[in-house]
Amino acid sequence: MRQMSASAERSGRGQGEALSLPGSDEALCPRLEAEDTGPGLLGAVLARENMQQAMKRVRSNKGAAGIDGLGIDETAERLTWEWPAIREQLLHGTYRPQPVRRVMIPKPDGGQRELGIPTVTDRLIQQALLQVLQPLLDPTFSQHSYGFRPGRSAHQAVQAAQAYVQSGRRVVVDVDLEKFFDRVNHDILIDRLRKRVPDAGVIRLVRAYLTSGMMAGGVFWERSEGTPQGGPLSPLLANVLLDEVDKQLEQLGHSFVRYADDANVYVRSRHAGTRVMAQLRKLYGRLRLTVNEAKSAVASVFQRKFLGYSFWVAPGGKVKRRVADKAKATFKQRVRKLTRRSGGRSLEQVVERLRSYVLGWKAYFRLADTPGVWKELDKWIRHRMRSIQLRQWRRGRTAYRELLARGAKPEVARIVAGNMRRWWRNSGMLLNAVLDLNWADQLGIPRLC
């Protein structure tokens, strides 16, 4: 790369070459000459086309700022002059990633999950690494692994599990790893990665990200283990580590499905399941990972869930899919949160917040063979939205006028308006014929069926 002075880079010109405006994809990657990209995989990572593609992905993923507080556009502006120096550090192995920003997010079961949010600069570099490493590593992974892999999905994992159950394997060894992403051993992971990626520069950079540390509330602490969720590389590194267990299970002839750190092995008896569970404890133990005994079990497949789905047997013996009870409870909890009363928000604004979540949930659970569940949840959502409408009318006279205007019988409007504090009850049968399905559709309330 031709070197530019800092003033020339800030002005957007250097030796006759114009840089892109801040905010564009090229702003993060000034022109790279082919002979300057460096040898090996690290050179491919830093190639101009790869960096531009990485920036497009970082932009599309959006995401919060890291510890530097800089968003994507602010980072793009700074990197128009900082990138050459960063690139040289990457090539010479002296680059040091900034610590990730620690964020705790609630889990559906009431616990918390730890995320580590890298800076946009580090997300960009990790994404560029991912784009080079994934095509190299993914073909070597087990066919029974479905999580965070191109062309593979949670739906395929659920369908594979269903096929095992249909074949007569009605006992599942359901394994949950205790705080997997927080407990990954760095030395073991690097050893497994080095066997697959013989490039010292890439290995050095990956280790730098693993040991970059974490910061929260102005306090920094080092990390001697774990690959925090939040960076583009973490899922790929998880697959590198866990593929060793997958290959052992394949050699033993087991029928299993893994999605990220969720693994289910399907067997024909509890005795076989107990034996497999003991094998898994040993296999994970070699990687210094611990099975969460409280959440793991050898049980009937019909008593467990997998990726939000559970299985049932229809008349005739065909195994079918349904939404697990816990997933339905989580759905209702989330809908309540999205539609809770908040000052100043119109019903249309409430619907807008609700819409994207419901449609995303519907898309994920479209494999469920239980149309009655969709009808039940649809009715529940409309019931809730009618209740919110009554809350917003609040005063009895307002409700009376609004209901009459929508064709309600005077006696119905009087009953509802006279008891406005009983929103949930009043929004049931009495209002079905007034705030009906057409009202819900016109408002934009999404349907599940």
Side-chain angles (χ1 to χ4, degrees):
M1 179 195 292
R2 293 189 290 268
Q3 296 298 316
M4 308 178 193
S5 68
S7 60
E9 291 171 323
R10 289 184 178 89
S11 67
R13 293 183 297 276
Q15 297 189 10
E17 181 181 14
L19 290 178
S20 305
L21 293 174
S24 70
D25 294 328
E26 292 190 3
L28 285 185
C29 12
R31 186 173 299 280
L32 301 176
E33 300 297 341
E35 64 270 24
D36 288 334
T37 57
L41 288 178
L42 191 56
V45 170
L46 298 175
R48 181 171 181 266
E49 294 77 9
N50 189 56
M51 295 302 300
Q52 289 176 348
Q53 184 60 40
M55 181 53 184
K56 289 179 182 178
R57 181 57 61 91
V58 169
R59 281 191 180 281
S60 66
N61 290 342
K62 300 179 181 179
I67 63 168
D68 60 2
L70 299 179
I72 295 176
D73 289 337
E74 294 90 345
T75 301
E77 184 174 4
R78 290 187 61 172
L79 288 185
T80 53
W81 64 82
E82 290 183 351
W83 177 249
I86 292 174
R87 182 179 166 279
E88 288 302 310
Q89 292 171 11
L90 288 165
L91 286 172
H92 290 91
T94 59
Y95 179 75
R96 293 295 176 264
Q98 295 191 63
V100 296
R101 181 169 65 88
R102 185 182 188 229
V103 176
M104 304 299 292
I105 60 172
K107 296 169 64 175
D109 60 6
Q112 288 189 315
R113 176 179 289 112
E114 180 183 86
L115 294 184
I117 309 299
T119 63
V120 174
T121 298
D122 286 321
R123 288 210 297 275
L124 171 72
I125 298 169
Q126 284 195 38
Q127 180 62 38
L129 267 171
L130 177 68
Q131 290 168 184
V132 171
L133 292 180
Q134 193 157 54
L136 178 68
L137 296 172
D138 192 79
T140 70
F141 293 152
S142 168
Q143 63 176 333
H144 300 280
S145 166
Y146 293 86
F148 308 109
R149 298 184 61 188
R152 290 178 163 248
S153 68
H155 285 168
Q156 292 173 333
V158 171
Q159 289 168 328
Q162 180 185 14
Y164 289 137
V165 178
Q166 186 67 62
S167 72
R169 294 172 174 83
R170 302 297 173 88
V171 174
V172 62
V173 183
D174 187 354
V175 178
D176 181 272
L177 294 177
E178 191 170 331
K179 296 183 178 180
F180 168 71
F181 283 94
D182 299 333
R183 301 282 176 82
V184 169
N185 182 279
H186 291 173
D187 291 334
I188 293 176
L189 173 57
I190 289 296
D191 176 70
R192 301 316 190 258
L193 185 63
R194 186 181 287 111
K195 292 176 181 177
R196 298 170 184 251
V197 182
D199 187 295
V202 167
I203 297 299
R204 189 186 304 116
L205 183 55
V206 171
R207 184 179 280 278
Y209 276 114
L210 290 174
T211 59
S212 61
M214 185 170 285
M215 184 172 286
V219 178
F220 168 80
W221 63 94
E222 296 180 350
R223 293 292 296 258
S224 59
E225 61 180 6
T227 171
Q229 298 179 78
L233 269 181
S234 289
L236 179 64
L237 297 178
N239 279 332
V240 168
L241 187 64
L242 294 175
D243 186 62
E244 180 171 317
V245 176
D246 295 344
K247 295 296 173 55
Q248 290 290 326
L249 291 174
E250 285 180 353
Q251 290 181 12
L252 293 169
H254 291 306
S255 300
F256 70 98
V257 180
R258 182 175 66 79
Y259 191 93
D261 57 326
D262 290 330
N264 279 6
V265 184
Y266 297 90
V267 295
R268 297 182 185 275
S269 70
R270 288 183 179 269
H271 178 73
T274 301
R275 185 175 65 251
V276 171
M277 179 65 84
Q279 291 171 337
L280 285 171
R281 289 192 186 98
K282 291 180 180 179
L283 291 173
Y284 287 124
R286 293 174 187 171
L287 300 177
R288 298 188 188 176
L289 298 172
T290 304
V291 172
N292 187 329
E293 300 295 345
K295 295 184 178 181
S296 302
V298 176
S300 165
V301 293
F302 306 115
Q303 297 172 348
R304 306 294 289 184
K305 61 180 179 64
F306 181 54
L307 300 179
Y309 284 87
S310 59
F311 300 113
W312 60 289
V313 181
K318 185 175 181 180
V319 175
K320 293 194 173 185
R321 304 169 295 258
R322 64 182 175 190
V323 182
D325 291 340
K326 185 176 180 180
K328 285 191 290 185
T330 300
F331 173 79
K332 286 191 172 185
Q333 179 183 357
R334 179 63 173 160
V335 169
R336 289 188 187 99
K337 184 176 180 180
L338 290 171
T339 59
R340 64 187 176 190
R341 182 170 43 177
S342 180
R345 282 198 294 131
S346 66
L347 197 59
E348 289 76 11
Q349 290 172 320
V350 173
V351 170
E352 185 62 30
R353 292 183 60 182
L354 177 67
R355 186 173 183 80
S356 61
Y357 173 72
V358 171
L359 293 180
W361 196 86
K362 176 182 178 180
Y364 180 77
F365 285 105
R366 67 178 184 269
L367 297 183
D369 300 313
T370 48
V373 172
W374 304 131
K375 293 179 182 178
E376 171 196 337
L377 292 175
D378 266 340
K379 290 180 180 179
W380 178 80
I381 291 172
R382 288 195 293 271
H383 193 162
R384 183 163 182 83
M385 296 308 294
R386 288 194 298 267
S387 174
I388 293 171
Q389 178 69 88
L390 289 182
R391 292 181 193 179
Q392 294 193 349
W393 284 337
R394 292 180 182 279
R395 298 174 61 183
R397 291 181 181 179
T398 300
Y400 184 77
R401 290 196 303 268
E402 294 287 351
L403 291 172
L404 285 181
R406 286 167 171 77
K409 295 179 180 180
E411 57 269 27
V412 171
R414 246 190 323 270
I415 293 173
V416 174
N419 197 2
M420 282 298 289
R421 289 189 176 275
R422 305 184 73 175
W423 294 307
W424 183 256
R425 181 172 180 178
N426 284 337
S427 60
M429 294 300 295
L430 285 174
L431 287 187
N432 275 344
V434 182
L435 303 182
D436 56 9
L437 191 58
N438 288 332
W439 165 80
D441 288 342
Q442 291 173 4
L443 195 59
I445 298 172
R447 290 197 199 186
L448 290 172
C449 62

